[in-house]
Amino acid sequence: VYFFRGRYLEALAKYQKALQRVREGGGDRQLVYTNLARLYDQLGENDEALDYYQQALSLGPTAPLLSGIATLYRRTGNWPRAIETYRAALALHPDAATWEEIGVTQADYPPQDLDSALASFSQAVKLASAKELSLARLYRGEALYRLNRKEEARDDFRASGDNWLALYRLGDLTKALALRDAPLPAGFFPGKHVLYSAAMATTTD
């Protein structure tokens, strides 16, 4: 609870107590290592995060654990290792979110490869649950848009529901601005400055 409220020092104190407990022989050691890894990851302490991730991994691989490690690799610039680790997570549990993370890595990090990203986002669409489908379609739509396949992109944007990026790409600036505060994942999506730049080009408001 402290972690999710951003009270990281208090979270760290509790996690360290948990670590002491498991070292004395009680509790879920892998869970404690993973929680410490995520905390240090959140704080940008990459070496400490990776160390705890690896200790957790030594107790047996899980898909969420491998995905966390892959995201850390991506953020620290080891993009090939990130994709390799995401694929290891997929081997344990194929899911839309991991395919999306692979697609983001392929699209936004050297060597940028939108064709491969599109293939990954298409896999995400295939695996997405009803709840996940709109986001998967939004990712695929943006990849198609950047590949200048705008007719195909339009279908995905329409299917992704009401969000500022889809509405902006579909040419409805007014509705896009009305939804500008709705959150979208960072990374592959363009920053909101493109939305504001478009607004400034068409109005003095």
Side-chain angles (χ1 to χ4, degrees), residues 95-126:
D95 70 305
T98 305
W99 276 114
E100 289 165 0
E101 295 295 346
I102 291 174
V104 167
T105 308
Q106 292 165 328
D108 266 2
Y109 297 90
Q112 292 176 318
D113 184 352
L114 280 169
D115 288 313
S116 294
L118 176 59
S120 295
F121 294 136
S122 295
Q123 288 295 323
V125 170
K126 288 179 183 178

Side-chain angles (χ1 to χ4, degrees), residues 134 138 157-167 170 175 179 182 184:
S134 62
L138 186 62
F157 286 137
R158 284 175 176 156
S160 71
D162 286 339
N163 61 79
W164 69 261
L165 177 60
L167 291 166
L170 290 168
K175 285 185 179 178
L179 293 177
L184 285 177

Side-chain angles (χ1 to χ4, degrees), residues 16-205:
Q16 287 175 332
K17 284 187 178 180
L19 183 61
Q20 182 180 349
R21 291 269 183 96
V22 297
R23 284 175 173 167
E24 292 169 354
D28 185 339
R29 186 182 297 262
Q30 187 176 58
L31 177 63
V32 175
Y33 288 153
T34 302
N35 284 340
L36 279 163
R38 288 175 178 158
L39 175 61
Y40 282 116
D41 197 352
Q42 181 72 24
L43 295 174
E45 299 289 345
N46 300 323
D47 291 338
E48 288 86 352
L50 185 57
D51 180 58
Y52 279 114
Y53 273 134
Q54 288 173 337
Q55 289 187 64
L57 191 61
S58 71
L59 298 172
T62 68
L65 180 57
L66 287 165
S67 291
I69 295 170
T71 300
L72 180 59
Y73 283 140
R74 184 175 70 192
R75 197 175 60 252
T76 55
N78 193 342
W79 305 298
R81 189 75 182 275
I83 291 176
E84 174 189 324
T85 309
Y86 280 130
R87 290 189 184 280
L90 284 173
L92 293 177
H93 179 70
D95 70 305
T98 305
W99 276 114
E100 289 165 0
E101 295 295 346
I102 291 174
V104 167
T105 308
Q106 292 165 328
D108 266 2
Y109 297 90
Q112 292 176 318
D113 184 352
L114 280 169
D115 288 313
S116 294
L118 176 59
S120 295
F121 294 136
S122 295
Q123 288 295 323
V125 170
K126 288 179 183 178
L127 290 173
S129 66
K131 185 178 180 180
E132 297 169 322
L133 187 57
S134 62
L135 181 59
R137 295 288 299 264
L138 186 62
Y139 269 119
R140 189 172 69 178
E142 181 65 12
L144 287 163
Y145 182 89
R146 295 189 186 190
L147 286 165
N148 206 32
R149 293 165 58 177
K150 294 182 181 177
E151 287 298 320
E152 296 168 85
R154 187 174 290 117
D155 290 339
D156 274 333
F157 286 137
R158 284 175 176 156
S160 71
D162 286 339
N163 61 79
W164 69 261
L165 177 60
L167 291 166
Y168 171 64
R169 292 303 196 203
L170 290 168
D172 196 333
L173 183 59
T174 302
K175 285 185 179 178
L177 285 166
L179 293 177
R180 66 188 180 275
D181 294 326
L184 285 177
F188 179 63
F189 292 112
K192 289 184 186 175
H193 65 278
V194 300
L195 186 61
Y196 294 122
S197 295
M200 287 188 289
T202 59
T203 179
T204 57
D205 183 357

